[in-house]
Amino acid sequence: MKRLVNSDTLLGGFFALAAVILLRNSYHSSSNVFLLPGDAPPFLVAQLALYAALALSLAILIKGILRGGVQIGETRWGPACLMVLLLVVTVLLFQAAGYLLIVPLAVLLCCLILGYRKPVPLIGLAMGVPVATYLLLVKFAALPLPTIPGLEF
């Protein structure tokens, strides 16, 4: 058993479990929605993303099992606790402040916590990732995201 415990098996198992739970909830929620013949299921895009996340998680888990025996380094609890706190605050402020205000700030703080210090890639990530996901979700998939209060576009 000790041989199977490494960072890949822990992360792969955790994210695979999270993906399975979210998939189950998405199917349960979508069963309560009335659909006309020919309509796409309401959570189709989210379910496809969750299937992709599940496949990647299982690949990481299998890699960890096959690799085996590699010791996990000493955990730095400070950054880990800061990341959890950042995620909790982001979720709490997400609806009130809007996606395009909270997510760039959260990505920037996440990069700083993880130790990225080069300003050009840091600002590129903080602006590029949220804008790209916003365009993908809102403009192409027509999924609503919280907007900045008083600013509609």
Side-chain angles (χ1 to χ4, degrees), residues 128-142:
V129 169
V131 168
T133 55
Y134 178 83
L135 290 174
L136 178 70
L137 294 174
V138 172
K139 300 300 180 187
F140 298 118

